[in-house]
Amino acid sequence: MTLTTHLYLTGFRGTGKSSVARLLAKQLGVTAIDLDEVVEQQAGVSISKIFEDAGESAFRDLESTALATVAKLPPTLISLGGGAILRAENRNCIATTGICIWLDADANTIAARLNRDETTAERRPALTALPALAEIERLLDQRRPIYEQTSQHRIETTDHSIDQVVDEILALLP
Ligand code: S3P
């Protein structure tokens, strides 16, 4: 299938964006871009290290620069970091360069997936001073309206396999 515009995947940490992107890319015959990886390549250090040395706002600057860079590439599948939709300039970039699909899950499912995921330590520094589950619940409350506003489709991933989610996305594409 030829993409005529970028296909962005958004959603909170642990909703399956990167895993879904890998499988979906195979089915579409495109190379998936993971925005977190682009940030780390451009910075030369892990996301956790960027947060530790320079703070979240410096990370958000790097994330916006990375998004602006990949948005200029030919149409492809782009998996966004969970907070990339927080800045208006990023939402505008997404809206003007592609379509966006929101992967959602409940807080307990997200907490369990983050615990199991070995990239969590390097890629997912704490975003608040709250305990893990409370942080997820708080940020989901804050961000769900923004994910909704930024995306054209919402896909529930709780109790859904990666294959099921990929099939649902494929069914949405023209
Ligand atoms: C973040 C999510 C992470 C990464 C960074 C910040 C967030 O990406 O960009 O740790 O603010 O939710 P994933 O959603 O790929 O884990």
Side-chain angles (χ1 to χ4, degrees), residues 11-15 17-18 34 36 47 51 56 59-60 63 79-84 86 114 119 123-125 127 139 143 147:
F12 199 74
R13 296 166 160 182
T15 52
K17 301 180 297 288
S18 302
D34 185 314
D36 287 339
I47 291 173
F51 269 70
E56 179 172 350
F59 167 75
R60 298 293 171 206
E63 186 176 49
S79 158
L80 299 166
L86 294 174
L114 294 185
T119 67
R123 288 255 167 94
R124 301 186 177 117
L127 297 167
L139 294 181
R143 291 185 183 178
Y147 292 129

Side-chain angles (χ1 to χ4, degrees), residues 67-172:
L67 176 59
T69 307
V70 301
K72 292 197 188 85
L73 297 174
T76 195
L77 175 60
I78 300 170
S79 158
L80 299 166
I85 44 66
L86 294 174
R87 287 194 174 174
E89 69 181 280
N90 295 352
R91 295 197 294 275
N92 185 45
C93 175
I94 294 163
T96 52
T97 59
I99 65 160
C100 186
I101 294 176
W102 167 26
L103 305 189
D104 200 11
D106 66 43
N108 285 308
T109 300
I110 289 174
R113 288 180 186 161
L114 294 185
N115 267 330
R116 283 198 304 266
D117 187 341
E118 58 192 22
T119 67
T120 292
E122 288 290 288
R123 288 255 167 94
R124 301 186 177 117
L127 297 167
T128 66
L130 294 168
L133 184 60
E135 172 174 299
I136 294 166
E137 287 168 342
R138 163 83 60 86
L139 294 181
L140 275 176
D141 273 356
Q142 288 173 2
R143 291 185 183 178
R144 276 196 173 120
I146 311 175
Y147 292 129
E148 183 164 27
Q149 171 200 339
T150 310
S151 61
Q152 284 75 47
H153 305 281
R154 173 183 172 278
I155 294 190
E156 178 58 57
T157 71
T158 307
D159 298 326
H160 288 209
S161 68
I162 291 167
D163 291 270
Q164 283 173 315
V165 174
V166 167
D167 285 347
E168 283 184 52
I169 295 174
L170 288 171
L172 293 172

